[in-house]
């Protein structure tokens, strides 16, 4: 049985760092079985340059990545999402739109690398750390036998991935 590619949306408040990293990673690592998207509740309107630099340094294409509102994905002609992941604690606590099709959702909180102050090297290091946490979670997600799991099992696995080794310190301290 051939299945259309799964559509995955990564949400964060500003859609400039973590959700962009996730979209970039899944675009490459999940192709052709997954379509990756990202959005924010209050998008900053531009992608953090360190997010683009880190993705590029690890060989991930950055073309077409942009900061956008989650409203783009709530219209009737928008892609129907199969999975929606919040990657920041602010977005996880916000009232999200109702997504058509009842996608599986999970919270994969990662510390915001754009909040790091200091030298450019310190800032870039924070983005590399966030990249590695996100890549680990996406790798675990891609290893799931999604075609063999029921909806509840998928949801349970997705929640566990959010707690997996490689989670950022702040995210692992959440209840």
């Amino acid at each position: 049985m051939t299945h259309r590619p799964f559509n995955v949306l990564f949400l964060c408040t500003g859609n400039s760092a973590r959700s962009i990293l996730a979209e970039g990673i899944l675009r490459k690592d999940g192709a052709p079985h997954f379509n990756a998207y990202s959005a924010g509740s209050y998008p900053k309107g531009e992608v953090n340059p360190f997010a683009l630099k880190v993705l590029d340094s690890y060989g991930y294409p950055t073309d077409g990545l942009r900061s956008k509102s989650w409203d783009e994905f709530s219209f009737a002609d928008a892609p129907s999402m199969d999975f929606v992941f919040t990657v920041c604690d602010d977005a996880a606590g916000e009232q999200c739109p109702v997504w058509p099709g009842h996608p599986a959702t999970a919270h994969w909180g990662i510390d915001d690398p754009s909040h790091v102050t200091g030298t450019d090297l310190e800032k870039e290091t924070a983005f590399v750390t966030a990249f590695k946490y996100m890549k680990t979670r996406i790798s675990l997600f891609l290893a799931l036998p999604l075609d063999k799991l029921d909806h509840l099992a998928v949801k349970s696995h997705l929640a566990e991935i959010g707690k997996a080794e490689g989670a950022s310190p702040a995210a692992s301290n959440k209840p």
Side-chain angles (χ1 to χ4, degrees):
M1 175 178 163
T2 312
H3 187 279
R4 68 165 173 77
F6 291 107
N7 291 324
V8 180
L9 178 61
F10 295 97
L11 297 175
C12 200
T13 304
N15 189 220
S16 67
R18 295 165 286 185
S19 53
I20 293 289
L21 291 172
E23 179 182 2
I25 294 166
L26 187 61
R27 270 187 184 181
K28 180 178 177 185
D29 293 357
H33 304 291
F34 292 85
N35 295 318
Y37 305 93
S38 69
S41 53
Y42 300 97
K44 293 191 175 184
E46 62 184 17
V47 175
N48 188 298
F50 286 106
L52 298 175
K53 181 177 183 181
V54 168
L55 283 168
D56 186 58
S57 72
Y58 282 92
Y60 287 84
T62 59
D63 56 303
L65 294 176
R66 63 185 179 85
S67 179
K68 60 204 153 298
S69 173
W70 63 19
D71 292 339
E72 288 189 26
F73 298 96
S74 63
F75 296 111
D77 61 343
S80 177
M81 295 301 151
D82 299 293
F83 302 93
V84 177
F85 301 115
T86 52
V87 295
C88 71
D89 292 333
D90 290 340
E94 292 175 357
Q95 184 64 37
C96 290
V98 174
W99 306 107
H102 306 289
T105 61
H107 176 61
W108 291 358
I110 292 179
D111 291 339
D112 191 348
S114 66
H115 287 168
V116 171
T117 58
T119 66
D120 281 355
L121 181 57
E122 291 168 321
K123 293 175 186 176
E124 185 174 344
T125 299
F127 274 85
V128 167
T129 300
F131 171 89
K132 288 179 178 180
Y133 290 148
M134 192 60 68
K135 182 152 174 53
T136 297
R137 290 178 177 180
I138 289 171
S139 294
L140 291 169
F141 172 60
L142 292 175
L144 290 175
L146 297 173
D147 58 336
K148 293 179 175 64
L149 298 173
D150 66 34
H151 188 73
L152 290 176
V154 168
K155 225 166 142 47
S156 174
H157 284 290
L158 297 179
E160 286 303 311
I161 289 171
K163 299 174 191 171
E165 186 66 30
S168 63
S172 61
N173 291 333
K174 301 287 180 209

